[in-house]
Amino acid sequence: MTQAIRMQFSATPGTLGQYLRALLARGSGQRDITMPDIEALQVGVKARPERVAAYAGVCGFRSQSSLLPLTYPHVLAFPLHMELMLHKHFPLALMGLVHIRNDITQYRAIRQEEKLDIRCHFSGSKQTDKGLEFDIHTEITIGGEKVWESVSTNLARMRSSATKGPRKERTELPAFATAERWTLNSDLGRRYARVSGDSNPIHLYALSARLFGFKSHIAHGMWSKARTAAALQPLLGSDACRLQVEFKLPVFLPSTVELNYNLHETLNPETVTSSGIDFELRNTQGDKVHMKGRIEKI
């Protein structure tokens, strides 16, 4: 059995240096991959108000709030995610991984001046017909009280022996009661990178994205999620909530997209409630889904 590895950081690792390391990192080439037992911890983390304000401005949150935006703790934890995936025992190449799902639960509002203890670890993996999916679990506590947690699911594309299921027939997309349109400028990826630390080249310039197989640069999935949180959490009216998303198709920059949502209805008849909002981020023609999910009170 592989011995558990614990990494504790007294200061936040720099993401620019991490991406330089990521460009040189290579996977193990193993076919039977087991995710290592690695944990990254940083205690006493305090958000810097000027950075929170800059993030709020890029993502559409209220910039004068004394509370952390719902998605901002992900920014604080992201350097620890990188350290987990840059560890020598991590069996995959970091560049090329695809963020496919993200699930955030906030148990109460977090004030900007509070000191956070952040713990991240690999929490599960499975082989699919597209490759290996693995989860990074993040837990944030304040004085021992769990206030926020998330699960980020990433995909490493690879050939798999898993049997492919029957091809899904294309179904008609559901109708939503409300839509709002967003215009995304070409520099959005660079602006979000500056406030989040996520400087993956696929988000910065068309040329750098083409080096990784994209026709142009794409918006960060976590920007789309943050922008959705900024739009919908005030309608939900609760600091204690859960926001789940699936990232479906990339949003190429520049572009215009529409957030479609139902305020008091659900697409899932098993969870009929007035305390949640289902949504989809689509192209303006309405025939392509970039992201889908739900925000609900807890």
Side-chain angles (χ1 to χ4, degrees), residues 25-263:
R26 297 290 182 268
S28 65
Q30 298 174 343
R31 293 199 174 190
D32 297 324
I33 293 177
T34 301
M35 299 304 293
D37 184 359
I38 307 177
E39 179 182 270
L41 172 67
Q42 188 178 0
V43 300
V45 179
K46 189 175 178 181
R48 294 173 58 176
E50 68 276 11
R51 293 188 176 180
V52 176
Y55 176 89
V58 172
C59 300
F61 292 97
R62 290 176 50 208
S63 59
Q64 301 303 315
S65 175
S66 62
L67 305 177
L68 291 184
L70 173 61
T71 49
Y72 194 74
H74 176 86
V75 171
L76 299 176
F78 181 71
L80 300 184
H81 290 196
M82 292 287 287
E83 288 296 331
L84 290 177
M85 294 184 287
L86 286 168
H87 194 278
K88 64 181 180 180
H89 291 309
F90 181 64
L92 304 167
L94 192 154
M95 301 305 294
L97 296 178
V98 182
H99 193 184
I100 59 173
R101 289 188 296 276
N102 187 270
D103 184 346
I104 287 174
T105 303
Q106 179 171 271
Y107 297 97
R108 69 160 174 84
I110 303 173
R111 298 186 303 276
Q112 290 192 31
E113 68 271 15
E114 292 186 286
K115 292 183 178 181
L116 315 180
D117 296 338
I118 306 175
R119 186 183 304 272
C120 308
H121 63 93
F122 296 116
S123 60
S125 63
K126 65 178 182 180
Q127 287 285 351
T128 71
D129 58 0
K130 293 183 179 179
L132 179 74
E133 292 183 9
F134 67 92
D135 295 333
I136 297 178
H137 183 263
T138 300
E139 183 177 273
I140 294 181
T141 57
I142 299 174
E145 174 195 10
K146 183 165 67 173
V147 296
W148 191 97
E149 66 180 327
S150 73
V151 177
S152 292
T153 303
N154 296 276
L155 170 68
R157 297 187 187 278
M158 58 181 65
R159 292 183 178 180
S160 173
S161 58
T163 303
K164 292 185 178 182
R167 189 169 184 175
K168 294 182 180 179
E169 294 185 9
R170 188 167 183 175
T171 57
E172 185 176 348
L173 294 176
F176 287 88
T178 310
E180 60 179 71
R181 183 168 289 196
W182 305 336
T183 298
L184 315 185
N185 295 328
S186 181
D187 67 346
L188 175 62
R190 299 189 292 279
R191 292 171 55 224
Y192 184 78
R194 285 194 291 270
V195 300
S196 70
D198 185 351
S199 299
N200 190 320
I202 66 174
H203 302 300
L204 304 182
Y205 297 95
L207 180 59
S208 58
R210 289 189 194 111
L211 296 175
F212 294 91
F214 292 90
K215 67 179 183 180
S216 185
H217 54 316
I218 63 177
H220 294 73
M222 287 304 295
W223 177 87
S224 297
K225 180 168 184 174
R227 184 66 186 85
T228 299
L232 299 185
Q233 190 183 7
L235 303 178
L236 192 70
S238 176
D239 293 316
C241 61
R242 183 180 187 186
L243 175 55
Q244 304 165 278
V245 302
E246 298 177 46
F247 303 114
K248 309 297 284 185
L249 294 174
V251 178
F252 291 102
L253 298 172
S255 66
T256 302
V257 294
E258 286 188 348
L259 178 67
N260 298 264
Y261 60 93
N262 288 330
L263 185 55

Side-chain angles (χ1 to χ4, degrees), residues 279-294:
F279 59 85
E280 288 186 355
L281 187 67
R282 299 178 182 173
N283 64 345
T284 53
Q285 291 76 27
D287 58 351
K288 292 183 180 179
V289 178
H290 298 291
M291 182 184 73
K292 62 185 296 185
R294 177 175 172 82

